[in-house]
DNA sequence: CGGGGGTTTGATACTAATCAATAGATGTGG
DNA sequence: CCACATCTATTGATTAGTATCAAACCCCCG
């Protein structure tokens, strides 16, 4: 676990030893998609693929921001800490998510694997050179940053003005949507994170999150076959809550 | 008030009728700075300068996102609404701030002037063409988006995990720093927004904000010559609070 | 099968919201 | 320039929603 794997390692999963990027499962979901075919070899040369065990830290707040990171599989949490240890999870990231845009010269957040993760590392400075040759990539990075900005502002609205029930409803609806890709099928949602991590994301405590799950269950809005699976049984109700209708 | 002013209007303030951008007071603080001298005429041709009265809406959430906006003078608030009317102010923007990055095809937030404002409007589609000729501008836009992302994540931390006192301390410290430019001198801070707007920014109520001001005042951390002026008298204390030290 | 983290549920405490009233500031028109 | 109307701010009393403290339960994993 946590073994360093050179590009060849990714190739095992992707089927080609020399051009990991060309066959990368995450590419269709990622900014890498903006790199034209003929530049993929260059990209591959910059990429270092590694596996991380659950709990491993991929990026540490305050460290020099040397790399970008791209999640190939698994899920990570992005979080910030207060000096007394309070934690706020700013988001979760899965396949294709590009990390490291919101950065000064040092990282302003930490990243930790919440389940086994494979991720790809690029040197920031070397990627910059690729960007110069490849305006579509810069365009795509800007697009990605703007998308993240929209998401961050939604989270600000949630934390500033929504009740516990509205927060959890928003989270479940949002996660079930993004999950079209990998996380969930229709109304069946897989939650790789713990109740505590959901709490740290929604600005609540673990007890409040648990109680709110119980209440949704009792009211027939969801079923929970296991604590990491949720079936949405009254989506319209949760969506109304999420939108903040009274 | 709120009179529409063509580019000539800005020139009155800037001293030249044909190249408003060349003499724009906000340019040194703005992304426009990335546009090279020789392209300034092109930029000027795209820009439409207008004045807005306090309370006027510059951008309405849900409307087609046709323009970017650049604040030349005054202060605006950016906010989102829930369906029942609860408001969350995601930020305030002053001289040089570029608005409209966090956008899909429609605006995902509203913008309103909280004091008289002069701002500059660019068509998104026409600015895109300028970007093609001017890679430094795209670079700068990406930089700006990333900077905003960092700010947004700080706000998420604040709303998710800080107490009322910590929130107000963070706000005052932050505003006094950014204000180096225009808002404040050293520890003397001008607050163009009302208590209610501060509350809607910090996820609190107007009463809690007012009480927290009173407490800081009673404890000798600040003085308030008027309700829109604050003198920070114990910056170290406020900074410790803002960092969340116990 | 035993241990330990994660989850649920209950009782109580506390922070901030709400409701309410007064005081102060701002702006307008006579 | 003053008086009035309105908006904004402050302060007090009470309530509501979550946090905190505590205990039991469940489940997953070794």
């Amino acid at each position: 676990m946590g073994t360093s794997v050179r590009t060849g390692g990714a190739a095992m999963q992707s089927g080609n030893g020399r051009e990991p990027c060309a066959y990368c499962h995450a590419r269709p979901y990622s900014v890498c998609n903006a790199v034209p075919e003929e530049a993929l070899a260059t990209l591959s040369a910059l990429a270092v693929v590694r596996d991380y065990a659950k709990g491993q830290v991929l990026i540490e707040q305050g460290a020099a921001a040397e790399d970008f990171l791209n999640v190939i599989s698994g899920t990570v949490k992005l979080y910030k800490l207060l000096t007394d240890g309070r934690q706020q999870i700013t988001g979760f990231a899965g396949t294709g998510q590009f990390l490291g845009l919101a950065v000064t010269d040092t990282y302003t957040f930490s990243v930790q694997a919440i389940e086994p993760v494979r991720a790809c590392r690029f040197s920031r400075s070397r990627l910059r050179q690729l960007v110069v040759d490849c305006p579509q990539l810069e365009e795509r990075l800007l697009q990605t940053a703007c998308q993240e900005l929209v998401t961050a502002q939604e989270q600000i609205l949630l934390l500033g003005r929504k009740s516990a029930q509205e927060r959890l409803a928003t989270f479940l609806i949002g996660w079930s949507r993004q999950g079209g890709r990998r996380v969930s099928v229709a109304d069946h949602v897989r939650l790789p994170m713990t109740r505590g991590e959901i709490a740290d994301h929604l600005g609540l405590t673990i007890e409040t999150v648990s109680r709110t799950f119980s209440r949704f269950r009792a009211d027939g809005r969801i079923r929970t076959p296991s604590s990491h699976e949720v079936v949405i049984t009254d989506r319209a109700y949760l969506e109304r809550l999420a939108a903040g209708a009274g």
Side-chain angles (χ1 to χ4, degrees), chain A:
Chain A
M1 55 176 77
T3 313
S4 180
V5 182
R6 291 242 5 128
T7 48
M12 276 172 41
Q13 130 172 324
S14 300
N16 181 307
R18 270 159 296 148
E19 290 239 359
C21 294
Y23 299 93
C24 176
H25 293 36
R27 187 157 64 97
Y29 308 118
S30 153
V31 295
C32 302
N33 215 15
V35 176
E37 292 288 332
E38 62 270 23
L40 278 185
T42 315
L43 186 62
S44 297
L46 295 179
V48 180
V49 176
R50 258 196 72 180
D51 288 326
Y52 300 86
K54 177 174 172 175
Q56 268 199 294
V57 173
L58 286 75
I59 286 179
E60 185 137 31
Q61 182 172 355
E66 283 162 0
D67 300 324
F68 289 110
L69 229 71
N70 209 350
V71 178
I72 297 174
S73 65
T75 311
V76 299
K77 64 178 177 186
L78 286 65
Y79 58 98
K80 294 173 75 80
L81 293 171
L82 291 173
T83 52
D84 69 354
R86 277 172 284 173
Q87 174 176 120
Q88 175 65 36
I89 294 180
T90 56
F92 299 98
T95 298
Q97 291 281 105
F98 194 75
L99 311 175
L101 284 171
V103 134
T104 55
D105 52 325
T106 60
Y107 293 112
T108 59
F109 56 86
S110 299
V111 177
Q112 187 181 15
I114 63 170
E115 57 182 350
V117 161
R118 171 164 290 179
C120 189
R121 234 170 231 283
F122 303 93
S123 146
R124 290 173 72 86
S125 56
R126 288 204 278 163
L127 192 67
R128 184 146 309 157
Q129 296 177 329
L130 182 58
V131 167
V132 172
D133 300 336
C134 185
Q136 308 101 299
L137 181 55
E138 180 138 56
E139 169 86 22
R140 180 63 188 266
L141 287 175
L142 180 56
Q143 228 174 61
T144 302
C146 291
Q147 181 49 52
E148 280 189 45
L149 211 41
V150 171
T151 306
Q153 288 174 356
E154 278 298 329
Q155 190 68 6
I156 286 173
L157 175 62
L158 179 148
L159 294 169
R161 286 294 175 237
K162 290 187 185 175
S163 69
Q165 280 196 66
E166 291 167 340
R167 291 180 198 197
L168 188 58
T170 306
F171 175 72
L172 290 175
I173 293 294
W175 194 254
S176 79
R177 289 223 180 100
Q178 96 152 50
R181 257 173 15 217
R182 196 151 290 229
V183 175
S184 61
V185 177
D187 287 334
H188 199 117
V189 185
R190 187 179 72 88
L191 300 178
M193 66 292 289
T194 67
R195 297 287 185 267
E197 285 162 341
I198 295 174
D200 281 343
H201 182 46
L202 301 182
L204 300 168
T205 59
I206 184 171
E207 294 94 334
T208 299
V209 169
S210 179
R211 276 186 245 273
T212 308
F213 266 110
S214 298
R215 168 136 185 223
F216 283 166
R217 205 182 307 124
D219 293 351
R221 315 304 185 184
I222 62 172
R223 284 187 296 116
T224 52
S226 82
S227 68
H228 289 281
E229 287 173 283
V230 175
V231 181
I232 296 176
T233 51
D234 190 350
R235 178 174 287 265
Y237 176 83
L238 294 182
E239 279 175 348
R240 231 173 305 130
L241 263 186

